[in-house]
Amino acid sequence: IQMTQSPSTLSASVGDSVNLTCRASEDILIWLAWYQQKPGKAPKLLIHKASILQPGVPSRFSGSGSGTEFTLTISSLQPDDSATYYCQKYTHYSWRFGPGTKVE
Amino acid sequence: QELLVESGGGAVQPGGSVRLSCAASGFIFSRYAIHWVRQAPGKGLEWVAVISDAGRSTYYADSVQGRFTISRDNAKNVVYLEIPTLRGDDTALYYCTRDYDILISYGMDVWGQGTAVTVSS
């Protein structure tokens, strides 16, 4: 199963709402997670099972979708949200990350 | 505090070997699966391997299947990743990360800081 993300880079302003898209080449039901990675840091889990927010993650982050198309929405974008965002599928004891979306 | 700390990386010649370690603290280690994820310089994340909580099950990415070996010692709270024949494309920062259940994954919620492996002659 291949994962794609769009756009590859996104420029937005503080306060904007942005949508990041992740697509799977086959149906993965809801077995999708989203991660945030800042330069020089380890990734941070934001969402699992497509829409479940990890404890401690701000509520401006939300996930939706199922099957082959998923969305990470960041409402009211903050300067601290500048990072690369990766989706990740987990099915059939195989995990795969998407190529990432850089949010500037 | 729930921590994972990787070690064992360094500069290695092509064809050389390395054993990476991931030491856990602050949580009940034997209840969690542990993954290795790597990131080549300037590139994205690549899942490498996972070992189940009791160590009975292991799974690998196609790119490393047959070359890498993941193992764990629950008495020492450590997971290992052995790479016996390093290639240039193995150059990366290697992270270990935990997952509550590999059947119905809850995502990788705790990560180490990574250990760098550089393969170069």
Side-chain angles (χ1 to χ4, degrees):
Chain A
I1 297 176
Q2 302 301 315
M3 307 300 294
T4 58
Q5 290 186 242
S6 60
S8 56
T9 305
L10 185 157
S11 295
S13 301
V14 173
D16 285 351
S17 178
V18 298
N19 292 316
L20 283 58
T21 299
C22 175
R23 291 185 175 89
S25 60
E26 296 178 24
D27 187 346
I28 59 170
L29 302 178
I30 60 167
W31 302 114
L32 187 100
W34 289 95
Y35 298 83
Q36 176 193 66
Q37 187 181 33
K38 297 180 179 181
K41 301 293 186 181
K44 174 185 176 182
L45 176 65
L46 300 176
I47 286 168
H48 66 95
K49 294 183 181 62
S51 63
I52 298 177
L53 196 67
Q54 185 69 5
V57 175
S59 58
R60 63 180 182 273
F61 291 91
S62 63
S64 63
S66 65
T68 61
E69 187 156 335
F70 301 85
T71 301
L72 175 69
T73 299
I74 312 173
S75 61
S76 189
L77 200 65
Q78 299 299 303
D80 189 52
D81 299 335
S82 291
T84 299
Y85 293 83
Y86 294 94
C87 62
Q88 175 211 51
K89 72 90 177 177
Y90 41 95
T91 54
H92 308 300
Y93 301 107
S94 176
W95 288 254
R96 184 184 293 273
F97 291 90
T101 292
K102 186 175 183 180
V103 175
E104 298 175 338
Chain B
Q1 189 178 4
E2 299 169 325
L3 284 177
L4 294 170
V5 179
E6 303 92 338
S7 61
V12 187
Q13 291 190 337
S17 63
V18 69
R19 186 174 83 159
L20 307 181
S21 299
C22 170
S25 61
F27 63 96
I28 302 175
F29 180 69
S30 60
R31 291 186 179 176
Y32 289 85
I34 300 293
H35 297 265
W36 285 96
V37 173
R38 67 182 180 181
Q39 188 168 35
K43 302 298 184 182
L45 303 169
E46 180 187 15
W47 174 74
V48 172
V50 65
I51 187 165
S52 62
D53 51 3
R56 294 191 187 98
S57 298
T58 58
Y59 301 93
Y60 298 89
D62 289 345
S63 59
V64 306
Q65 178 77 49
R67 282 202 309 131
F68 290 17
T69 302
I70 189 171
S71 61
R72 68 189 293 162
D73 184 337
N74 281 353
K76 295 181 178 179
N77 285 7
V78 180
V79 167
Y80 304 100
L81 184 70
E82 296 192 61
I83 311 174
T85 310
L86 282 158
R87 310 185 311 211
D89 60 359
D90 294 322
T91 294
L93 185 63
Y94 285 75
Y95 294 102
C96 64
T97 175
R98 78 175 192 184
D99 193 340
Y100 186 69
D101 191 317
I102 61 172
L103 182 59
I104 50 170
S105 177
Y106 288 74
M108 301 172 182
D109 67 337
V110 175
W111 293 67
Q113 83 291 346
T115 186
V117 174
T118 301
V119 183
S120 174
S121 54

